[in-house]
């Protein structure tokens, strides 16, 4: 993103949990701050030091420890790249329970530490459910071995949950045990062009009803986001005449047991959508082969890259009621216009896309540069808007360095107080990723 810059002088790349333990113990004794770092794809500056902390990069811990093809339980080093784990389990007819655009670089330890959501959450749920166990080096160097493979284990407090989404503030994750689902026998996708955002909600309802158990993703792309993705060569767009008058797009994926059955369901859905009295869509294009399937996904997954090519992005990853997605984008755009910033002082676009099925909107403001004037116009304006909808200021990217001051918009004073007590308990010297999630004391 080119937004966060650290001042670290030292990076260590340990190969085992024991080496991590020794490094952390050394740092604990000397009160040296540590920033655990995975693939460095996070969007809130969590993996970038604030001062001159030591960077502890997990990239050299990249071995699969075991895989059980019957249960689908995978145990891997935290530094394994998500895409390589996908490739590892594929020949066993399994998939990873999460998928996201950064899969070629992000690591499973980073995914767990940010509790990454992504494109499959609608179907397979969050990592709080898929992760069965963790191995963690605690801030004093002790190794907490909870690398269990049990599906059921109600033996008191479930400590591992604390590290899922802790963004490296409570310890370093060195190993992950997780449940991988069986590969679907057939996957299809279709891109739908909608005349109006008002159709998204009724569309979601109809799609859920008609596709039921085979629905695996329902992703939203507004017109500006779509145009940017096409402009910067991400995936294959629709023909110009097909998208005339389209205000937004929805990408639907199905994953099921029998190709003919699933295709029939998708075709029936398209027919319903196109032939009803007031059609919910202008057009729908079904992928016809694996290349087209990937190309449709590339269009959605490539928005982040397209945005980076277009300029500098102010990213707001928020949970708000589905019905307000368009309003939130429009209100932000009008707010910037009223401040004289839109198309005048560097702001180029305000776009919305994201995981409709999970109520997660990615609001991106694309500008020529990061400036204090734009930032001050956006914050706390957007956080107050989110709070007015009782939403979350971070749906899936975490708090990192970017949102520590905004935590209170989504968490009560009591919650923050107990978060601080937990941090103090695990990390009394405050060496573990200082200044992330919670403001420096
Ligand atoms: P990093 O960026 O290196 O670190 C992230 C945080 O985790 C930091 O606070 C770091 O200190 C901590 N951390 C990393 N490894 C460890 C460890 N082993 N132990 C303890 N702490 C650790 N996110 C989503 O949720 N959904 C998406 O759909 C999505 N799509 C993306 C698409 C693109 C193109 C990109 C670039 C990013 C996307 N992300 C998405 C952001 C997402 O947070 C990261 O991609 C990913 O989960 C972070 O993994 P990482 O290994 O890069 O972690
Ligand atoms: C996605 O869903 C990611 O594509 C990235 O979470 C979102 O770039 C963003 O704002
Ligand atoms: Zn996302």
């Amino acid at each position: 993103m080119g937004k966060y810059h650290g001042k670290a002088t030292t990076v260590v790349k340990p190969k085992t949990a024991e080496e991590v333990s020794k490094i952390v113990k050394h740092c604990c004794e000397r009160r040296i701050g540590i920033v655990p770092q995975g693939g460095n794809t996070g969007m809130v500056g969590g993996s970038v030091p604030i001062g001159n902390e030591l960077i502890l990069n997990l990239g050299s811990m990249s071995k699969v420890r075991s895989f059980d093809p019957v249960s689908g339980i995978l145990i891997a080093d935290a530094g394994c790249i998500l895409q390589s784990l996908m490739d590892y389990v594929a020949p066993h007819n399994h998939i990873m329970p999460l998928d996201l655009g950064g899969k070629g670089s992000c690591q499973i330890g980073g995914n767990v530490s940010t509790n990454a959501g992504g494109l499959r959450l609608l179907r397979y749920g969050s990592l709080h459910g898929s992760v069965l166990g963790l191995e963690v080096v605690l801030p004093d160097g002790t190794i907490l071995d909870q690398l269990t493979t049990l599906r059921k284990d109600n033996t008191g407090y479930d400590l591992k949950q604390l590290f899922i989404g802790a963004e490296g503030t409570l310890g370093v994750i060195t190993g992950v045990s997780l449940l991988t689902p069986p590969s679907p026998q057939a996957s299809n996708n279709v891109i739908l062009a909608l005349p109006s955002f008002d159709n998204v909600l009724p569309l979601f309802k109809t799609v859920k009803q008609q596709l039921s158990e085979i629905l695996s993703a329902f992703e939203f792309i507004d017109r500006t986001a779509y145009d940017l993705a096409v402009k910067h060569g991400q995936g294959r767009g629709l023909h110009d005449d097909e998208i005339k008058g389209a205000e937004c797009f929805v990408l639907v994926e199905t994953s099921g047991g029998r190709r003919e059955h699933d295709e029939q369901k998708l075709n029936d859905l398209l027919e319903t959508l196109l032939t009803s009295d007031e059609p919910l869509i202008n057009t729908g294009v079904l992928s016809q082969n694996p290349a087209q399937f990937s190309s449709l996904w590339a269009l959605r997954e490539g928005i982040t890259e397209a945005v980076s090519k277009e300029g500098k992005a102010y990213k707001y990853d928020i949970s708000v009621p589905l019905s307000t997605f368009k309003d939130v984008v429009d209100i932000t755009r009008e707010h910037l216009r009223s401040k004289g910033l839109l198309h005048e002082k560097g702001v180029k676009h305000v776009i919305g896309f994201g995981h409709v099925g999970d109520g997660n909107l990615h609001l991106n403001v694309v500008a020529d540069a990061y400036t204090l004037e734009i930032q001050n116009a956006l914050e706390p304006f957007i956080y107050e808007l989110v709070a007015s909808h009782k939403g979350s200021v971070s749906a899936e990217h975490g708090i990192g360095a970017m949102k520590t001051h905004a935590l209170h918009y989504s968490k009560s004073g009591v919650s923050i107080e107990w978060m601080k007590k937990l941090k103090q308990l695990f990390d009394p010297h405050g060496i573990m990723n200082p200044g992330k999630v919670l403001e420096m004391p």
Side-chain angles (χ1 to χ4, degrees):
M1 292 170 65
K3 187 174 180 190
Y4 300 97
H5 305 277
K7 299 188 193 79
T9 56
T10 312
V11 183
V12 286
K13 296 188 81 178
K15 290 195 176 69
T16 62
E18 288 69 30
E19 283 185 14
V20 175
S21 163
K22 282 186 192 159
I23 294 164
V24 173
K25 193 164 182 295
H26 175 92
C27 290
C28 177
E29 284 163 4
R30 289 161 185 76
R31 311 288 190 260
I32 296 169
I34 299 171
V35 179
Q37 190 178 71
N40 214 6
T41 65
M43 302 201 149
V44 288
S47 55
V48 181
I50 288 177
N52 63 349
E53 299 91 291
L54 175 90
I55 296 177
L56 197 159
N57 184 291
L58 277 294
S60 297
M61 286 188 67
S62 55
K63 289 196 184 70
V64 171
R65 299 192 195 176
S66 68
F67 178 70
D68 178 349
V70 178
S71 64
I73 295 171
L74 171 76
I75 303 186
D77 282 352
C80 289
I81 289 174
L82 180 58
Q83 179 68 63
S84 31
L85 292 178
M86 288 174 162
D87 296 343
Y88 184 91
V89 297
H92 300 283
N93 294 318
H94 277 258
I95 58 168
M96 293 299 283
L98 80 162
D99 185 14
L100 44 98
K103 60 189 150 223
S105 306
C106 66
Q107 301 174 2
I108 192 67
N111 299 146
V112 173
S113 299
T114 53
N115 186 25
L119 308 161
R120 288 183 184 156
L121 189 134
L122 179 73
R123 178 66 163 268
Y124 299 107
S126 91
L127 287 170
H128 281 293
S130 310
V131 172
L132 300 179
L134 291 178
E135 178 187 77
V136 182
V137 174
L138 299 172
D140 66 354
T142 308
I143 300 179
L144 173 70
D145 182 355
Q146 291 212 333
L147 219 40
T148 169
T149 53
L150 304 173
R151 289 291 298 275
K152 301 183 79 172
D153 179 20
N154 275 356
T155 49
Y157 308 138
D158 189 359
L159 293 179
K160 70 169 183 291
Q161 297 296 348
L162 284 173
F163 302 97
I164 303 175
E167 300 177 58
T169 59
L170 300 180
V172 184
I173 297 176
T174 49
V176 178
S177 158
L178 86 171
L179 191 61
T180 67
S183 313
Q185 297 298 305
S187 291
N188 290 299
N189 61 9
V190 58
I191 189 155
L192 308 172
L194 281 68
S196 155
F197 175 82
D198 294 339
N199 293 9
V200 175
L201 270 160
L203 178 72
F204 189 34
K205 201 162 162 247
T206 309
V207 167
K208 274 199 289 192
Q209 259 163 8
Q210 282 201 227
L211 297 179
S212 58
E213 82 290 351
I214 64 167
L215 175 65
S216 54
F218 190 96
E219 294 284 319
F220 167 70
I221 309 171
D222 77 8
R223 182 61 193 252
T224 322
Y226 174 92
D227 289 341
L228 278 182
V230 171
K231 174 178 168 189
H232 292 288
Q234 308 295 320
R236 191 185 63 112
L238 304 175
H239 292 297
D240 282 351
D241 50 331
E242 288 174 322
I243 55 170
K244 234 182 236 145
E247 189 172 79
C248 59
F249 301 82
V250 165
L251 179 64
V252 173
E253 185 196 63
T254 61
S255 302
R258 269 190 35 227
R259 181 163 297 283
E260 307 75 45
H261 165 266
D262 297 357
E263 278 174 4
Q264 185 63 48
K265 272 188 142 183
L266 264 178
N267 282 320
D268 291 350
L269 171 72
L270 278 181
E271 201 176 313
T272 312
L273 296 174
L274 287 165
T275 58
S276 57
D277 289 344
E278 281 184 47
L280 288 173
I281 59 169
N282 288 349
T283 184
V285 175
L286 200 63
S287 62
Q288 301 296 334
N289 52 49
Q292 284 180 12
F293 176 86
S294 305
S295 179
L296 283 188
W297 265 122
L299 195 71
R300 164 63 186 88
E301 292 183 41
I303 297 172
T304 300
E305 197 175 320
V307 162
S308 307
K309 287 182 176 159
E310 184 73 7
K312 297 291 181 195
Y314 297 80
K315 289 185 182 287
Y316 297 94
D317 154 47
I318 56 183
S319 279
V320 283
L322 235 166
S323 55
T324 67
F325 273 29
K326 181 169 185 293
D327 286 350
V328 168
V329 177
D330 289 349
I331 290 170
T332 304
R333 190 181 293 115
E334 286 319 306
H335 175 71
L336 287 168
R337 200 192 305 277
S338 75
K339 297 250 170 206
L341 291 170
L342 191 66
H343 306 314
E344 285 164 42
K345 289 202 189 153
V347 177
K348 297 165 90 169
H349 313 282
V350 180
I351 68 169
F353 61 102
H355 318 286
V356 172
D358 315 320
N360 178 188
L361 171 70
H362 293 306
L363 169 66
N364 278 211
V365 175
V366 191
D368 285 332
Y370 293 117
T371 70
L372 208 57
E373 191 179 12
I374 300 174
Q375 163 127 348
N376 288 343
L378 293 170
E379 297 176 26
F381 180 80
I382 291 173
Y383 297 133
E384 284 169 359
L385 189 60
V386 171
S388 73
H389 290 296
K390 298 196 178 357
S392 170
V393 295
S394 178
E396 60 171 8
H397 294 165
I399 296 295
M402 178 187 173
K403 300 180 185 170
T404 52
H405 66 291
L407 194 56
H408 67 96
Y409 288 102
S410 299
K411 283 261 192 297
S412 70
V414 176
S415 305
I416 295 176
E417 196 184 315
W418 278 91
M419 282 171 68
K420 285 181 178 164
K421 284 183 188 173
L422 275 174
K423 169 75 177 169
Q424 176 68 20
L425 182 67
F426 277 91
D427 184 19
H429 306 303
I431 60 160
M432 209 43 93
N433 216 357
K436 312 294 168 54
V437 181
L438 293 164
E439 285 177 311
M440 297 259 200

